[in-house]
Amino acid sequence: MNTRLRLAAAGPLAAAVAAGTLAFAAPANAESAHVTDPVDASASLNDIRAVDVSNGAAKVRVKVKFTDLRRHSDAGPAGLQIFFDTFGGDSGTGPEYELATGLEEGTDYALAERAGWRGPTGDPLSCNVRLKLDYRNDELRAAIPRRCLDRPEYLRVGVKMTDEYDGSHPVIDWMKGPRKWTRWLESA
């Protein structure tokens, strides 16, 4: 008995379940990564605790979880930089893009091209980047259209927080350590 006849003989519910199972397996989803970061910037409430990245067909999504993200700072400001390395075969030269933001309520953010680790080049890019600071859940969520990053086939992400509580001794926290990255993520 072939598969089609067996499913029909088992009844409509079995056929629907089998068809549904096949439907879920067909399209490829965005490749994603989850990185946990130890408590290593305890002098700051903005210590990075985890980073999630998803390289989807239309958008790259990044979520950064903090120890205790606050709407207002009683001391100096804190900011975050999300770095994007989009040259898969290019190792060691640094990021091609950076999304920079403050971490307090009312701060602005901008996506810019970078010349590796030397810093941003030119004006911010005109892209429909979405960024939300969620103080109740201690996290930042960003969605960047892939076209703004020149539609890379692969990318990896690095994250750096700088807290200026004491301007003479800023607290700096890198995800996994200075200039470290997620693994390479293929686009959906």
Side-chain angles (χ1 to χ4, degrees):
M1 183 186 290
N2 70 30
T3 305
R4 185 177 299 157
L5 290 175
R6 265 188 264 146
L7 287 175
L13 181 59
V17 169
T21 303
L22 294 174
F24 287 120
N29 290 332
E31 188 168 7
S32 60
H34 174 80
V35 176
T36 57
D37 190 65
V39 176
D40 55 356
S42 59
S44 172
L45 296 174
N46 302 302
D47 186 20
I48 297 169
R49 302 298 304 147
V51 176
D52 291 288
V53 181
S54 174
N55 189 9
K59 295 184 186 221
V60 174
R61 297 183 187 279
V62 180
K63 180 172 79 171
V64 181
K65 188 83 170 161
F66 301 93
T67 299
D68 188 7
L69 190 61
R70 301 278 178 105
R71 288 182 188 277
H72 306 287
S73 173
D74 293 334
L80 191 79
Q81 295 167 284
I82 303 171
F83 302 104
F84 300 91
D85 187 358
T86 59
F87 289 154
D90 189 17
S91 61
T93 61
E96 287 73 45
Y97 299 93
E98 167 192 328
L99 178 60
T101 184
L103 293 176
E104 290 83 33
E105 186 174 58
T107 58
D108 206 357
Y109 56 90
L111 179 68
E113 290 187 52
R114 285 189 63 97
W117 294 112
R118 292 186 303 273
T121 61
D123 294 328
L125 300 174
S126 296
C127 289
N128 191 21
V129 173
R130 304 271 186 209
L131 188 136
K132 180 174 179 14
L133 295 167
D134 182 347
Y135 298 100
R136 184 170 24 185
N137 294 310
D138 299 316
E139 64 188 30
L140 170 147
R141 291 186 302 273
I144 303 96
R146 288 189 69 251
R147 65 177 168 70
C148 297
L149 305 173
D150 203 22
R151 299 185 195 282
E153 185 176 347
Y154 293 89
L155 65 77
R156 60 185 179 167
V157 171
V159 181
K160 176 186 176 186
M161 181 280 301
T162 304
D163 187 330
E164 298 285 345
Y165 178 79
D166 176 358
S168 65
H169 298 91
V171 176
I172 297 173
D173 185 25
W174 288 85
M175 173 196 74
K176 297 188 347 179
R179 299 183 179 180
K180 300 289 184 181
W181 301 99
T182 63
R183 64 182 173 78
W184 287 101
L185 303 171
E186 187 174 9
S187 67

